């Protein structure tokens, strides 16, 4: 274990096998998406009835604008909002956020750690840093895989600039931040790992459902502003070739607010099994 | 600095929602003392220790450890403390050596005693190379003792330290405690095992239901609380009436009976008992366990003297 940032390294060391599997899974999945996108003619999708896909399908293409799933940016965006992609992100976030505080309290190891000259802020900072490192790696793996696929597919490359791929990857980090903040807040106040994992999954699932319903049903349209998937729009980033900074700012802002709340909650709580 | 008590607790109360773990506990541990903290499971010992180490936030009361607030001045206090939790939980994926390295890194201080402690407690290099998930309870406890003592802390807080240790290792542990005391270290030893407290501690606090029952020297406690009078009859009749001495709750075994009698009443009790046809009589100082039970029978908590 490293002498500097031991809690950071410990978090990564304990989850190293799971993280390796997630990275491989992410690369394989995004490679498959690129291959599938290259094999399809997106314009022909949903064209048999003479109409395009329903507007709610934008939820699956990672767009809150006009990017249809029946387009290359829409298809690649679908790979970055697919339930498999979400599940891998949430597995990493839920697992490491749970391990940040709640799992140590549940298992009793928090006693050994926190009787040492370790401030609660430091515990949170090192564990958050480990989580950030993991989501950076995961999103980098997805981004590089998609970028490689786009670079090797002239048809896709004409519709999707590489800058859009990297912008979409950056938006993925924003989404992860948005999940990390609340997950860390639950961990900072919780006593069980299952509370954190459950809350993380619930936030994402409810968020996705709210966004889909808001796109499908006009009276519910205002609810879309409550969903992280309204702001996490890799399809739009892929089409526009740049980061959507206001959306990214909202995602990152929610994450930072969650971390601030985690800090407050951790300072006030008891740390014993 | 030595004028400052190692531990000073005043009116400590810790409530968990509707359960009171510790209720108005006050005690002082002097620097350089080996102090016992005695009580059955659930008496509030571990809660008190967790308040002393800054893991728990007291609901009421004031806690000072080495003159510092365990919560507000945690970063100044923690380097001077060694702590062994009552239920030692380790990261199962780490080896023994990795565990000690991790905890030393978190301590942020040299660990001058690690090699010596591992050697004395029989934690060899091959054992330390194995994941702790494969350790027996005794081996985990040895690792716990090393991590608590390896940085040579000024105050050692031990919660049920001999749990799982075999008798030989217990001897090493008692020797380590003796050396710590001789070196001017303060030791707070929480236990429900009376002989180990009797053997190692100068003074002892007894707690019950989160409240302090008494704080006394071990010798004083044994002297003040009771004498054991043992009468042996040789007529084979077994249990029989003992007259006024029945109030001392006689414990019969065949023709032999033990009574725990307060020191001031021993002579009077003997006058009455020797009127019986007794074959043998002995009077001895009761052990700490008898004094402890005697105190628990007495009931109500007392304030610290």
């Amino acid at each position: 274990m490293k002498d500097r940032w031991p809690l950071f390294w410990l978090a990564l060391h304990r989850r190293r096998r799971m993280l390796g599997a997630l990275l491989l899974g992410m690369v394989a999945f995004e490679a498959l998406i690129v291959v599938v996108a290259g094999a399809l003619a997106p314009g022909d999708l949903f064209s048999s009835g003479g109409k395009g896909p329903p507007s709610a399908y934008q939820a699956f293409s990672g767009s809150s604008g006009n990017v249809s799933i029946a387009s290359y940016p829409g298809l690649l965006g679908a790979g970055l909002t697919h339930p498999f992609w979400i599940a891998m992100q949430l597995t990493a976030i839920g697992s490491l956020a749970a391990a940040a505080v709640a799992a140590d309290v549940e298992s009793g190891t928090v006693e050994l750690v926190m009787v040492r000259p370790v401030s609660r802020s430091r515990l949170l900072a090192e564990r958050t840093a480990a989580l950030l490192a993991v989501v950076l790696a995961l999103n980098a793996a997805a981004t590089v895989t998609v970028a490689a696929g786009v670079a090797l597919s002239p048809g896709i490359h004409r519709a999707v600039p590489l800058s859009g791929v990297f912008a979409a990857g950056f938006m993925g980090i924003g989404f992860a931040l948005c999940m990390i903040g609340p997950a860390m807040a639950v961990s900072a106040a919780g006593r069980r790992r299952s509370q954190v994992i459950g809350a993380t999954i619930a936030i994402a699932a409810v968020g996705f459902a709210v966004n889909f319903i808001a796109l499908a049903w006009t009276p519910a349209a205002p609810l879309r502003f409550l969903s992280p998937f309204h702001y996490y729009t890799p399809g739009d980033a892929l089409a526009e070739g740049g980061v959507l900074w206001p959306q990214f700012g909202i995602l990152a802002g929610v994450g930072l607010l969650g971390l601030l709340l985690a800090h407050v909650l951790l300072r006030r709580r008891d740390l014993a099994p | 600095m030595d004028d400052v008590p190692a531990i000073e607790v005043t009116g400590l109360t810790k409530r968990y929602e509707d359960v009171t773990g510790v209720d108005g506990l006050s005690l002082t541990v002097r620097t350089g003392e080996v102090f016992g903290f005695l009580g059955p499971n659930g008496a509030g010992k571990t809660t008190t220790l967790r308040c002393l180490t800054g893991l728990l936030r007291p609901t009421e009361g004031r806690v000072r450890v080495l003159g510092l607030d365990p919560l507000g001045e945690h970063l100044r206090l923690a380097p001077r403390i060694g702590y062994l939790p009552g239920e030692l939980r380790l990261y199962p994926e780490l080896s023994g050596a990795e565990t000690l390295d991790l905890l030393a890194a978190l301590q942020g201080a040299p660990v001058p005693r690690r090699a010596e402690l591992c050697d004395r407690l029989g934690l060899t290099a091959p054992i330390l190379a194995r994941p702790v998930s494969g350790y027996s309870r005794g081996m985990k406890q040895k690792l716990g003792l090393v991590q608590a003592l390896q940085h040579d802390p000024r105050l050692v807080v031990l919660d049920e330290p001999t749990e799982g240790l075999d008798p030989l290792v217990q001897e090493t542990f008692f020797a380590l405690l003796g050396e710590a005391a001789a070196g001017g270290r303060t030791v707070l030893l929480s236990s429900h095992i009376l002989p180990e407290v009797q053997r190692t501690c100068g003074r002892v606090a007894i707690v019950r239901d989160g409240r302090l029952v008494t704080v006394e020297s071990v010798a004083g406690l044994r002297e003040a609380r009771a004498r054991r009078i043992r009468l042996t009859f040789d007529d084979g009749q077994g249990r029989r009436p003992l007259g006024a001495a029945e109030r001392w709750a006689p414990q019969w075994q065949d023709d032999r009976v033990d009574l725990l009698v307060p020191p001031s009443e021993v002579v009077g009790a003997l006058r009455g008992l020797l009127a019986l046809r007794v074959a043998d009589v002995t009077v001895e100082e009761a052990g700490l366990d008898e004094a402890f039970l005697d105190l628990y029978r007495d009931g109500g908590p007392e304030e610290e003297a």
Side-chain angles (χ1 to χ4, degrees), chain B residues 227-248:
Chain B
R227 298 289 184 274
R228 182 170 55 225
I229 300 178
R230 172 168 291 176
L231 303 175
T232 306
F233 302 91
D234 60 359
D235 53 12
Q237 291 180 17
R239 190 184 183 112
R240 71 205 67 199
L242 295 176
E246 286 289 339
R247 65 191 167 118
W248 305 122

Side-chain angles (χ1 to χ4, degrees), chain B residues 5-9 25-39 45 48-49 52 155-161 173 177-178 180-181 185-191 196-207 212-218 221 288 304-305:
Chain B
I7 296 170
E8 196 171 17
V9 177
L25 189 138
S26 298
L27 61 87
T28 302
V29 178
R30 295 186 287 264
T31 300
E33 192 172 18
V34 179
F35 190 91
F37 199 45
L38 201 56
K45 303 188 300 292
T48 304
L49 299 193
L52 295 177
L155 170 65
V156 184
V157 179
L158 305 169
D159 194 357
E160 310 285 0
F173 165 72
L177 272 197
R185 307 300 189 244
T186 306
V187 179
L188 176 60
L189 174 75
S190 164
S191 179
E196 82 180 23
V197 172
Q198 186 167 338
R199 176 172 177 177
T200 55
C201 299
R203 286 197 309 151
V204 60
I206 295 179
V207 287
L212 187 71
V213 177
T214 191
V215 177
E216 280 188 60
S217 70
V218 170
L221 196 62
L288 185 61
E304 183 184 0

Side-chain angles (χ1 to χ4, degrees), chain A residues 107-199:
Chain A
S107 68
T109 44
V110 74
E111 274 194 293
L112 274 183
V113 172
M114 296 309 291
V115 295
R116 322 234 160 230
V118 174
S119 69
R120 296 177 182 215
S121 302
R122 178 180 162 193
L123 173 73
L124 200 63
E126 289 200 37
R127 293 281 163 85
T128 305
L131 189 39
L132 287 173
V134 167
V135 298
L136 281 173
L138 213 50
N139 284 284
T143 305
V144 169
T145 304
V146 175
V150 168
L152 294 171
S153 306
I156 301 176
H157 201 176
R158 275 192 291 276
V160 177
L162 280 177
S163 61
V165 177
F166 290 107
F170 196 71
M171 295 297 288
I173 293 167
F175 172 79
L177 277 174
C178 183
M179 292 288 112
I180 286 171
M184 290 296 281
V186 176
S187 186
R191 301 188 66 81
R192 290 197 302 276
R193 158 196 332 252
S194 59
Q195 291 172 328
V196 184
I197 294 172

Side-chain angles (χ1 to χ4, degrees), chain A residues 1-263:
Chain A
M1 208 59 56
K2 307 285 194 301
D3 282 347
R4 287 177 64 85
W5 305 99
L7 295 172
F8 171 84
W9 291 112
L10 176 66
L12 296 181
H13 179 78
R14 297 188 71 203
R15 300 283 180 278
R16 63 191 185 284
R17 290 189 186 87
M18 182 196 76
L19 298 176
L22 287 176
L23 283 171
L24 280 176
M26 188 63 99
V27 168
F29 176 72
E30 293 303 334
L32 182 67
I33 289 290
V34 174
V35 168
V36 170
L40 290 174
D44 295 340
L45 288 172
F46 303 98
S47 61
S48 57
K51 291 194 287 187
S55 62
Y57 278 33
Q58 284 174 11
F60 300 116
S61 63
S63 172
S64 58
N66 299 313
V67 176
S68 165
I69 198 166
S71 68
Y72 282 126
L75 280 173
L76 294 181
L80 297 172
T81 50
H82 191 278
F84 192 78
W85 182 94
I86 297 171
M88 283 191 287
Q89 298 275 350
L90 295 184
T91 302
I93 293 167
S95 170
L96 272 100
V101 181
D104 266 341
V105 173
E106 184 177 18
S107 68
T109 44
V110 74
E111 274 194 293
L112 274 183
V113 172
M114 296 309 291
V115 295
R116 322 234 160 230
V118 174
S119 69
R120 296 177 182 215
S121 302
R122 178 180 162 193
L123 173 73
L124 200 63
E126 289 200 37
R127 293 281 163 85
T128 305
L131 189 39
L132 287 173
V134 167
V135 298
L136 281 173
L138 213 50
N139 284 284
T143 305
V144 169
T145 304
V146 175
V150 168
L152 294 171
S153 306
I156 301 176
H157 201 176
R158 275 192 291 276
V160 177
L162 280 177
S163 61
V165 177
F166 290 107
F170 196 71
M171 295 297 288
I173 293 167
F175 172 79
L177 277 174
C178 183
M179 292 288 112
I180 286 171
M184 290 296 281
V186 176
S187 186
R191 301 188 66 81
R192 290 197 302 276
R193 158 196 332 252
S194 59
Q195 291 172 328
V196 184
I197 294 172
T200 308
I201 292 170
I203 291 168
V206 170
F208 193 88
V210 164
N211 187 49
F212 184 78
I213 292 166
L215 286 169
W217 188 40
T218 310
L223 288 177
R224 68 187 188 277
F225 295 107
L226 299 175
S227 169
F229 291 93
H230 178 67
Y231 307 99
Y232 172 54
T233 51
D236 293 339
L238 284 159
E240 294 184 19
V243 177
L244 306 164
W245 289 106
Q247 287 90 329
F248 181 85
I250 289 168
L251 292 169
V254 170
L256 290 175
L257 278 176
L259 289 174
L260 192 63
L261 180 62
H263 185 77

Side-chain angles (χ1 to χ4, degrees), chain A residues 1-3 6-7 10 13-16 104 106-120 122 126-127 266-273, chain B residues 14 16 46 50 53-57 71 74-75 78-79 81 83 85-94 98 101-103 105-108 147-148 151:
Chain A
M1 208 59 56
K2 307 285 194 301
D3 282 347
L7 295 172
L10 176 66
H13 179 78
R14 297 188 71 203
R15 300 283 180 278
R16 63 191 185 284
D104 266 341
E106 184 177 18
S107 68
T109 44
V110 74
E111 274 194 293
L112 274 183
V113 172
M114 296 309 291
V115 295
R116 322 234 160 230
V118 174
S119 69
R120 296 177 182 215
R122 178 180 162 193
E126 289 200 37
R127 293 281 163 85
L266 187 58
R267 283 180 66 86
R268 295 162 61 108
R269 74 167 295 174
D270 287 334
L271 282 175
Chain B
K14 178 62 186 175
Y16 306 95
T46 297
R50 286 173 175 165
T53 49
L55 293 166
L56 295 183
R57 189 178 295 275
L71 276 165
H74 177 72
L75 294 182
I81 292 184
Y83 176 59
E87 285 186 44
L88 181 65
R89 304 293 173 83
L90 303 165
Y91 293 107
E93 307 87 348
L94 301 186
E98 286 172 332
D101 287 344
L102 167 72
L103 298 175
L106 290 171
Q107 197 69 43
Q147 64 80 29
H151 53 291

Side-chain angles (χ1 to χ4, degrees), chain B residues 272-290:
Chain B
L273 291 167
L274 291 176
L276 303 169
R277 295 171 65 86
V278 176
D280 187 29
V281 61
T282 58
V283 180
E284 56 187 42
E285 192 178 71
L288 185 61
D289 48 350
E290 280 130 339

Side-chain angles (χ1 to χ4, degrees), chain B residues 138-158:
Chain B
M139 281 160 64
K140 285 182 185 168
Q141 199 70 354
K142 288 180 193 177
L143 200 67
L145 285 170
V146 174
Q147 64 80 29
L149 300 170
Q150 65 178 349
H151 53 291
D152 200 16
R154 284 182 53 194
L155 170 65
V156 184
V157 179
L158 305 169

